[in-house]
Amino acid sequence: MTSEIEKKYLFPAGILVFLASVLLYFVFLEWDIKIDFVLTALVVLAIFLKLEEIVLLSILGIWVFNFKPALSLEMIWFLVLPVLTFGLNKFLPGKNWFSALVSVFISFIIFYASINFSLLFGSLVVSLGIMLPTLAFGVLVFMVFEFIFNSNEV
């Protein structure tokens, strides 16, 4: 496990990754490229952070992306998928990197199947064009956190 000193830096690092993912989302959106950096970051961070930190970042993400007063399906998934990842990670056997990859993939499928089924299964090129960068970003976030906060584990 990570030491107590390293644990106190997990949440601030999570906030930085969250803010970077929001920035990346808006930068890529300028080029009409829609990659779910924020949801991916939240799902991967759920492996490292505490439950209340994940809920806080998820609510912040909902606030950043949706100013409507009504509750939408996207908002619900934005909160539920990272929390589910947090819960399932405690019970899934195996390596954390595999849990992260599977969690990002399943979250992507659930999110798009529930809000835009035709986009997910209508065009394989579009689906892969969104899914592969999303998975790559998830792996990158996981590798950075794993290297920084679990590098002394053998």
Side-chain angles (χ1 to χ4, degrees):
M1 286 310 273
T2 57
S3 70
E4 291 301 317
I5 295 172
E6 289 174 339
K7 283 184 183 180
K8 76 177 186 178
Y9 295 116
L10 274 171
F11 186 58
I15 291 173
L16 288 175
V17 167
F18 173 79
L19 293 174
S21 65
V22 169
L23 180 66
L24 279 172
Y25 175 80
F26 285 117
V27 166
F28 275 74
L29 195 59
E30 285 295 315
W31 297 319
D32 287 331
I33 301 172
K34 296 179 181 174
I35 299 172
D36 296 317
F37 290 114
V38 179
L39 183 61
T40 302
L42 288 171
V43 168
V44 173
L45 289 173
I47 293 173
F48 295 96
L49 300 180
K50 297 179 207 169
L51 180 60
E52 58 270 10
E53 296 167 345
I54 289 301
V55 170
L56 178 68
L57 288 176
S58 295
I59 291 171
L60 184 61
I62 291 168
W63 180 74
V64 166
F65 289 111
N66 195 351
F67 292 109
K68 298 178 214 166
L71 191 63
S72 67
L73 188 58
E74 294 94 347
M75 292 168 65
I76 294 169
W77 285 126
F78 227 75
L79 182 62
V80 169
L81 291 172
V83 171
L84 278 176
T85 300
F86 176 84
L88 290 176
N89 189 50
K90 304 301 177 202
F91 299 107
L92 287 176
K95 299 289 184 186
N96 280 345
W97 67 267
F98 185 72
S99 298
L101 194 62
V102 169
S103 297
V104 169
F105 179 76
I106 290 173
S107 295
F108 177 86
I109 296 294
I110 290 171
F111 188 75
Y112 274 99
S114 66
I115 64 168
N116 195 350
F117 189 79
S118 63
L119 176 67
L120 182 62
F121 296 109
S123 172
L124 182 63
V125 174
V126 172
S127 296
L128 289 176
I130 298 171
M131 186 184 302
L132 292 178
T134 300
L135 288 172
F137 181 71
V139 168
L140 178 67
V141 170
F142 178 82
M143 288 174 53
V144 166
F145 264 72
E146 186 73 15
F147 177 76
I148 292 172
F149 294 106
N150 291 334
S151 60
N152 52 358
E153 288 184 8
V154 177

